[in-house]
C-alpha cells in the first residue's frame, strides 16, 4: 500500500486514490438453483439443473449473472443447489463462466424449499440480500428496486411484472385466476399491502383487515401482476425463519406473513429479530413491505417454470429486440459444401455452432443448439433442439422440444411434444401431445 498522506495534503490527488478503493457490496445475492418447480419442465430437467437449461443457446444462469454484472454493485453470488446437480454447476462456474463475479456453490438437502435454504445459509448472510429464483430471466435495472428498498427501509421488496393488456373482446370475459395472486398495493404501486394466492381463496373472495383499510382506504387489488420470484430481503428476516421453522417457502409463507404483520401493533407482533434495533415497530408504519412493478412494456421478465414459458422465452430471446440482452451472434464459421444452414433459418431463430442442414429445409421461430445435424426437406416451427440432436430427412415438427443427443427418424411427425435426452424416435412415427422418454411400462413399474 502507498504511504498515508498527511492531513494537510488532502485534495484532488487523495480523492482519486479513494475512488480506486473497491466499494463494499451493499447486498448479497442468493440464486436458488434447487428450490424451483422443475417437475413442470420434465423431461427437460431430468438430466441437468434448471439454471443450466439453454434458452436461445445460453443457460438461464448466464442471463441472471449478466443482469447482476450490469448493476455494478455485486462481487459475489451464492448459488444454492442439490448435491446431485453440483458437478454440472461446478463445471459451469469454473470452466464456462468468465465474468467478474465470484460464484460460490452451496449444497442443501434434497427437497429443501426456499425458506429452508435461507436457514441453511444464515451463517453466510451478513447483510440485506437479493433472492433470485433459478428460473427467472429479467433485464431489470437492479438499481431501481434497490433504491425503493432503501427509501422505505423495507423488510421485503418484491418484483412484479405487469401482464400484457387484453384486447377489447377478451376484457369482457372473466379473467382466469389459475396460478394468479391477489396483490394489494397503494395508489403509487410501491407499497405491498396484501398478498394472497387465488388458489387459497374460496370462490375468489379475499379478506382484508380493518387495520389495512384504515391506513390505506384506497388500496388497489390486482390480479394482473405476476410475481417474478425476485426479492430483496432485510437481514433480520432470517430471524423470522428461525422462529417459524414450519415455513418452507419465501413466496407462499414468509412474504405473506411479513405483509400481514405490517398492520399490527408492536404488542401483537410475534417476531423478535436477533438484533432488536433492526426492527423498531411503532404503529403500522415501521414494518414495511414494498413492490416494484415492471410495466408490461418497460423491460423483459419471464419465469421459465413451465413448458409453455420455456418455449416463449426461447422465441423472445432468439428473435432479439425484446430485452436488453443481445441476441447471440451467428457462428463465425466456414460452412462446408452442401451445408445449407446459412439459408435455412428465418430471422427469428438462434443457431449454435457446428450445425449442419440439408437442402430444402425450413426452420422458423426455433432455437437449434450446437452440433445438431438436420437432414433434407425438414420443417421446424417454434421448436427447440438442444445440442447434438439428429433429425433425419423429411421430419416435420411444431411446438416440440428435443433434448440433447436425441434422434428423430426419417419422415417422423411431431407436434406439441417433448423428447427426452438420448431417445430415438422411429422413422415415420406420428406423435402429438406426448412426452417421449424411451421408457416402457415395465421400466416405469
Amino acid at each position: 500500500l502507498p504511504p498515508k498522506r498527511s492531513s494537510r495534503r488532502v485534495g484532488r490527488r487523495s480523492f482519486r486514490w479513494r475512488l480506486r478503493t473497491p466499494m463494499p457490496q451493499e447486498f448479497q445475492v442468493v440464486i436458488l438453483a434447487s428450490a424451483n418447480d422443475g417437475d413442470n419442465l420434465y423431461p427437460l430437467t431430468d438430466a441437468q439443473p434448471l439454471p443450466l437449461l439453454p434458452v436461445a443457446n445460453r443457460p438461464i444462469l448466464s442471463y441472471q449473472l449478466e443482469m447482476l454484472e450490469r448493476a455494478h454493485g455485486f462481487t459475489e453470488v451464492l448459488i444454492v443447489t442439490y448435491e446431485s446437480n453440483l458437478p454440472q454447476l461446478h463445471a459451469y462456474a469454473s470452466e464456462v463462466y468468465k465474468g467478474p463475479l465470484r460464484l460460490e456453490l452451496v449444497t442443501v438437502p434434497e427437497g429443501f424449499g426456499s425458506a429452508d435454504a435461507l436457514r441453511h445459509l444464515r451463517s453466510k448472510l451478513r447483510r440485506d440480500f437479493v433472492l433470485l429464483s433459478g428460473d427467472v430471466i429479467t433485464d431489470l435495472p437492479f438499481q431501481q428496486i434497490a433504491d425503493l428498498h432503501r427509501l422505505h427501509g423495507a423488510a421485503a421488496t418484491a418484483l412484479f411484472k405487469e401482464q400484457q393488456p387484453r384486447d377489447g373482446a377478451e376484457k369482457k370475459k372473466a379473467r382466469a385466476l389459475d396460478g394468479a395472486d391477489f396483490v394489494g398495493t397503494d395508489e403509487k404501486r410501491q407499497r405491498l399491502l396484501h398478498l394472497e394466492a387465488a388458489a387459497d381463496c374460496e370462490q375468489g373472495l379475499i379478506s382484508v383487515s380493518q387495520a389495512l383499510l384504515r391506513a390505506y382506504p384506497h388500496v388497489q387489488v390486482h390480479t394482473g401482476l405476476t410475481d417474478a420470484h425476485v426479492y430483496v430481503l432485510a437481514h433480520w428476516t432470517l430471524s423470522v425463519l428461525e422462529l417459524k421453522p414450519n415455513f418452507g417457502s419465501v413466496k407462499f409463507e414468509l412474504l405473506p406473513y411479513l405483509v400481514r404483520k405490517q398492520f399490527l401493533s408492536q404488542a401483537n407482533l410475534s417476531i423478535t429479530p436477533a438484533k432488536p434495533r433492526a426492527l423498531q415497530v411503532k404503529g403500522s408504519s415501521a414494518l414495511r413491505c414494498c413492490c416494484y412493478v415492471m410495466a408490461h412494456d418497460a423491460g423483459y421478465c419471464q419465469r421459465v417454470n413451465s413448458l409453455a414459458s420455456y418455449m416463449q422465452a426461447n422465441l423472445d430471446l432468439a428473435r432479439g429486440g425484446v430485452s436488453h440482452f443481445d441476441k447471440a451472434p451467428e457462428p463465425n464459421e466456414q460452412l462446408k459444401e452442401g451445408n445449407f444452414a446459412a439459408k435455412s433459418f428465418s430471422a427469428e431463430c438462434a443457431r449454435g455452432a457446428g450445425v449442419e442442414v440439408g437442402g430444402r429445409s425450413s426452420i422458423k421461430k426455433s432455437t437449434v443448439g450446437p452440433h445438431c445435424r438436420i437432414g433434407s426437406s425438414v420443417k421446424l416451427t417454434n421448436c427447440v433442439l438442444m445440442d447434438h440432436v439428429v433429425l433425419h430427412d423429411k421430419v416435420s415438427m411444431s411446438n416440440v422440444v428435443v433434448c440433447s443427443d436425441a434422434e428423430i427418424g426419417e419422415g417422423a411427425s411431431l407436434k406439441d411434444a417433448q423428447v427426452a435426452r438420448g431417445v430415438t424416435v422411429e422413422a415415420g412415427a406420428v406423435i402429438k401431445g406426448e412426452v417421449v422418454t424411451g421408457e416402457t411400462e415395465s421400466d416405469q413399474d
Side-chain angles (χ1 to χ4, degrees), residues 152-155 191 215-216 261-266 269 279-290:
H152 291 277
R191 288 292 304 275
Y216 291 91
K261 293 298 182 181
Q262 292 178 101
F263 304 101
L264 296 179
S265 66
Q266 185 173 7
L269 285 175
L279 177 61
Q280 300 293 337
V281 179
K282 295 181 180 179
S284 61
S285 61
L287 197 167
R288 294 173 177 155
C289 294
C290 295

Side-chain angles (χ1 to χ4, degrees), residues 39 41 49 78 90 93 112 145-146 173 194 198 209 228 232 256 263 290 294 329 333 336 342 344 363 369 398 413:
D39 288 342
L41 285 161
L78 296 171
H90 180 267
F112 259 34
I145 191 172
K173 299 178 182 179
H194 183 86
S209 69
V232 184
F263 304 101
C290 295
M294 289 181 70
E333 57 189 2
K336 297 180 181 179
S344 303
I363 304 172
S398 175
S413 176

